[in-house]
Amino acid sequence: MARQRYSDFLKQLYGTRVQKLNVNAGFTCPNRDGSLGTGGCIYCNNASFTPAFGRTTSGVSQQLLDAKQFYAGKYSSMKYLAYFQSFTGTYASVNKLRSLYEEALAVSDVIGLVISTRPDCISNEILDLLSDINRQHRIIVEIGVETIHEHTLALINRCHSWQCASDAIKLIASCGIHVGAHLILGLPGESEDDMLATANAVAQLPVTTVKFHQLQVLRGTILAQQWERGELDLIGWTPQQYASFCHRIINSLPERIVVERMVSTAPPALLLHPKWNLKPAQFREIFQNIL
Ligand code: SF4
C-alpha cells in the first residue's frame, strides 16, 4: 500500500476537493490565560499562522465568507473546511463551542471542520460534542504533541505530558474521529534519534495524519529571547539536511499514516531562525531531489 497524499485523503473523506479556511474564533489557551500558565509555549506566536482574514474583529461566518472569496476565483467548484487553528480550538464552554462550530458549518460550501487543540482540552462533554458533529459532518482533530520527551516538554513549557497527548489521541480516535498529530522537529536539546523516537511512538497511536515542521524562532517569543542570548542548543540543519531527515521521519511511519506537511514558513518579518527563505514549493523540490 502506497502512502496516500494529504489532498487525496481529504478528497476521499469528503468526496470532493476541499480547501481549509483558517478561522480565528477568538479562543485563548490555558497556557496563556493563567489556568496553566501565562507565558505559553516558548515558541508560540499565533500571528505566524493567522492570515489577515482571520482577525477576530469579524465573526466566524464573515471570516469564512472573506476567505472563500479569496479562493473563489481560483477554484469555482471548491468546498471548504473551517480550520480552527489559532490558539486552542476546544478551549471554551461546550455551548460556546457548539455555537461557533455550527456557525462555521452553516456557511455555504463549508462541509467539515478541522480543529486544532491541546491534548488537555478534551473533556468528555467536548468529546460528546465532537462526536455529535462528526456524525453529520466529518471532522478532523489535530492534537499538539510536539515531542514524547518529558524533559523537552518541560523546557518548551507545554504544561502537559506525553501520556496526556497519547491518552487524548486514543480517546478521540475511539469515537470514530480522525486524529492528526502535530510534531516539531529540532526542539532544543533533541537529537535526530530523539525525534525519530517521537515519530515511532506516535506511529503506535491511532492517528490518521501527522504534520510536522522545523522549529522556527519567531520574534516576540521566549524562544527568541533565549536564542538572542545564545542559550539554545539547536540543530543547525540546512534545507537539504532537513529534507533528508524528513525522509527518515516519513520512512519510519507506517504507510497508513498520511503526512500532511513537513515544513513551515513563518512570515519573514517574524522569523529569526532558520532563515531558509524558501517557499513550500521550493522545499518540496529539494525534498523530491533527495528521493
Ligand atoms: S502553542 Fe498552542 S498550546 Fe502553546 S501557548 Fe500557543 S496556543 Fe497555547
Side-chain angles (χ1 to χ4, degrees), residues 1-4 148 162 180-183 185 195-213 245-262 287:
M1 184 177 89
R3 193 186 307 279
Q4 203 174 23
I148 63 165
W162 154 239
H182 181 267
L183 312 176
L185 303 184
M195 299 169 223
L196 283 162
T198 291
N200 288 332
V202 168
Q204 310 307 313
L205 297 175
V207 293
T208 306
T209 65
V210 166
K211 169 172 161 182
F212 56 88
H213 63 79
F245 185 59
C246 286
H247 277 287
R248 288 183 66 198
I249 288 280
I250 292 170
N251 289 338
S252 76
L253 296 172
E255 289 196 335
R256 68 172 175 82
I257 294 181
V258 176
V259 177
E260 177 181 348
R261 197 181 72 184
M262 56 192 162
F287 180 80

Side-chain angles (χ1 to χ4, degrees), residues 80-101:
Y80 301 96
L81 307 180
Y83 185 20
F84 290 86
Q85 182 186 26
S86 297
F87 293 102
T88 299
T90 58
Y91 191 48
S93 70
V94 173
N95 286 345
K96 174 87 176 157
L97 291 174
R98 183 182 287 280
S99 152
L100 290 167
Y101 299 156

